[in-house]
Amino acid sequence: METLATALLGFFFAGYFVLGGADIGLGMLAPYLGRGRDERQHVTSTMAPMFLANEVWLVASVGVFIGAFPELEGDVLSGLLPVFVPLVAGWMVRDAGLWWRVAGGPQAADWLVTGGSWVAAGSWGWVLASLLNDSPTEPISPGLGALTTLFVLLLFLAHGLAFATLRLTGAPLQRALRLTGRARYSFALTSVVIATLAILAGGRLPLSEHAASDTSLKLLVPVSVVVLPLLTAAHLWLWRLVRRGGMQPTSLL
Amino acid sequence: MESQTVDLARWQFALTAGGHFLFVSLTIGLATVLAVLQTRATLRGGQPVHLRMVRFWGRLYVINYAVGIITGLVMEFQFGMAWSGLGKFAGDVFGFSLALETVLAFFIESTFLALWMLGWGRFNKWVHLGVLWVVTLTAYMSAYWVLVTNGFLSRPTGYAERADGTLELADTAELLTNPSTLLAFGHILGGSLLTAAVFMAGVSAYHYRKGTADDDGLLRRSLRIGVFTGVPALLVTVAFGGMQFGETEEWQPMKAAVFDDNKAEIAKLQAEMVERFGPGDYVPPEALTRGAGLLMVLVFVVLLVAAVAGVVLASFRRLAVKSRRWHLFLMILVPLPYVAMIAGWVFREAGRQPWVVYGLLRTDDAVSQVSTGRMWLSLIVFVPLFMALVVGHWWVLLRAVREGPREQQHKPAETTEPVPAVTAY
């Protein structure tokens, strides 16, 4: 049961980095890729339809973390509080910015998306650095964490760029291609790298020693495993529905 | 633990959860109305007015939904960040319900909401309708799973004590059918529907006053739906609320005594609890608890009178369309269900202090081992962000309200983009 619970947590966490990470990376690059009003709108509209559906992977990760490893979850989140505060704050700002754009809000909200994405990506770098250095209950010093954080930032950028080549059109696409070249499968490649990193970092946690009781796991794990194919199928459906070119934010409804 | 840390953590959680609750109550209620509206539109072969209605209320629904999510995210993280003592003590009992909330309810809800938005005009109409029903039902499920946790905090059941004093899950069925959960679930579903009904009536009334053209009767229909849904929603809310009230005396006698302002009973219970749990103050903040409870009841009375009068007035088409005073009155009512929701929540949560898990774990012992400085950091970052979020959100929502229902349109504009944009409607 613990093994399955760990696999479940890993699946959601890695899924978040692949899907949500693409959004964050694209958000970081938005000012570079989209110049001028129409292009910016185009870039935003690429993220808009799916960003909530991407982020639920993180919500589910934290949910499974609480459910299957309640004590450890509390230790990690309260221990790394100084990093999780900017992480969640950046995330909020990003989402609010995107949402206001979708609902027809002012163009300045684009800067919230970009700023929030950078803060969230940097905070993730620090979280992963702390986990990788076996310091899950106290953020490691900036000196130790700087290199990993920098690497994670670059990874988010690369992943966002690869995503951009899949979704964008016109001048923003050309700008993205100028950086990536005509590399095929670049999104698959960055996805594998970012997912592996997430799993390596999460794998440092002493999960199996901190699993919840069997009664609790026997409820949570089978139910989740049964619905997992359904969740994945719904996501594939959604992924196919969003095509290159995105959607006009104001025409969302 | 320093007492200031506890206070800071409590303030932060109160603001987060309260803010979240405000948006969620409209979301759940509007989802229900929307699902019914789209069902009717689908069954009746897609009359333009029905489709326009789904689109207008759907737009407001979606705008509102997002803020509910963003505040919910922050709340989820706060469990671990600020209240790790609670997870350590009882996470084994309620943790799975929070996990299932995310996996079974919230995950599906968000995914299908995105499918619903992108599926406009692209899906088969029955598939599209089915997608919306999934959104609505998972919204209910979400509320249920969260209330499994909340019900457990108010009336712990289905647990066993371990050797080290912490709790573990013992009887799942008992936990899932906790009456404190089920009654609150009914109460909140009713309250959400009421919030949505009053909102619909108020927004429609606003457009009447503004003189918005209503050739196809969209506003008239919406106003009637709002007014006529209000009464049954109110009755359901009150029925479940009343049942909970009746049980309070047994589940949390101190809360009942505080509400009744029965000084002798309060003193007696305090003495009993000191004997049972050791020295301490077992009286919840009296003015806050009683005030919140009374405010909730007061709002109920006002809404009851208004709702019944509304049904009578709305039965006369001339009055329903022409009476500007009534329209103003309907607009003034819009905030009231929110007030009642928040007041009821304060009554439930403040009234069980000093306990976080009633009779088992004190709030002071649930807070994380975090320095006061770090807790301040968290509060200073989140509170202004929250306020900006709420203000910005209302600005966007009210703008969409003011803009009103859009004209029936229009094929996707294929000329603006090299590749056809996904035009959702």
Side-chain angles (χ1 to χ4, degrees), chain A residues 56 59 63 67 74-75 77-78 82 91 99-100 103-104 138 212-213 216 219 231 237 241 243 246-248 251-253, chain B residues 58-59 62 66 73 76-77 80-81 88 92 95-96 99 108 110 118 120 122 172 374 392 396 399 406 417 422 424:
Chain A
V56 294
V59 177
D75 288 344
L77 263 73
S78 61
W91 186 7
W99 203 251
W100 285 333
E138 184 63 38
S213 72
S216 192
L219 209 69
L231 299 180
W237 189 12
L241 211 56
R243 279 173 258 166
M247 65 194 288
Q248 295 299 321
S251 65
L252 192 65
L253 265 174
Chain B
R59 183 172 155 76
V62 167
L73 302 173
E76 192 193 23
F77 275 82
M81 280 158 60
K88 203 164 285 193
D92 194 76
F96 82 93
I108 303 180
S110 290
L118 290 167
W120 275 110
R122 300 168 80 191
T172 313
R374 284 187 177 180
V396 172
R399 216 177 60 144
R406 290 175 181 168
E417 289 273 330
V422 181

Side-chain angles (χ1 to χ4, degrees), chain A residues 48-97:
Chain A
M50 280 189 66
F51 77 100
L52 287 177
N54 290 339
E55 286 168 359
V56 294
W57 289 75
L58 179 58
V59 177
S61 310
V62 179
V64 171
F65 201 9
I66 296 180
F69 312 94
E71 193 179 342
L72 188 63
E73 192 261 354
D75 288 344
V76 172
L77 263 73
S78 61
L80 297 183
L81 183 129
V83 197
F84 276 114
V85 168
L87 174 66
V88 177
W91 186 7
M92 267 176 82
V93 169
R94 203 188 105 80
D95 278 16

Side-chain angles (χ1 to χ4, degrees), chain B residues 323-352:
Chain B
S323 169
R324 287 177 63 81
R325 258 187 222 156
W326 186 46
H327 294 153
L328 183 65
F329 181 63
L330 285 176
M331 286 165 62
I332 293 171
L333 290 182
V334 171
L336 286 188
Y338 288 110
V339 172
M341 284 295 233
I342 289 295
W345 169 72
V346 168
F347 180 63
R348 184 175 172 92
E349 305 304 319
R352 87 170 118 93

Side-chain angles (χ1 to χ4, degrees), chain B residues 18 36 40 93 127 158 198 253 256 280 346:
Chain B
V36 174
R40 204 179 52 170
V93 186
V127 174
V198 175
V346 168

